[in-house]
Amino acid sequence: LVGCDLVVASTYEAMGKVAQGRTFAVVNDAEVPTSAFILDPDANFPSEAMKDKVKAEVGEGSYHFINATRVATELLGDSIASNLFLLGFAWQRGLVPVSAEALEQAIELNGVAIDFNKQAFLWGRRCAHQPEKVLGLLSKRKQPTSPMSLDEVLADREQRLLGYQNA
């Protein structure tokens, strides 16, 4: 199971297709809210419960959770890379019964952002092989310490608009 979205990966439909002893799961555990979460600002994102569901269905030692959205965005500048990042991760762990060459040829045949998608696949492979090194690259990047206040957001946007055009 290559789960590009934790919410979808933990659904009844997806879990109905897995079984302990024959299924491995590589799942993006980024918290990407659905419309239900957007409509109810007080809703909690039940990520641990969803992970527990996947773990129970595939069995101990048969799953990997990684925030592929964050990793792909920081390394490649776009969260869309997370899907091929996960595929590369799964491939490197020996969980995809297709050659890397065949997957790269499929990327070429698709004809969309070929180099970008190959890089995403390669970063996924690297992360599966040496996660501490790849994730260590992320920790060196400046992370926001706290969200901006409304006044800070307004001042920031005012400066951006002034810089873009004028008062």
Side-chain angles (χ1 to χ4, degrees), residues 4 28 68-89 113 115-124:
C4 299
N28 182 0
T69 301
R70 176 178 175 241
V71 177
T73 301
E74 289 197 33
L75 293 174
L76 296 158
D78 194 334
S79 64
I80 196 70
S82 62
N83 296 344
L84 278 162
F85 175 89
L86 285 170
L87 182 61
F89 190 100
D115 291 335
F116 176 79
N117 285 319
K118 284 184 174 182
Q119 283 296 308
F121 180 72
L122 180 60
W123 275 111

Side-chain angles (χ1 to χ4, degrees), residues 22-33:
R22 73 175 172 98
T23 304
F24 292 88
V26 175
V27 180
N28 182 0
D29 66 1
E31 294 185 1
V32 181

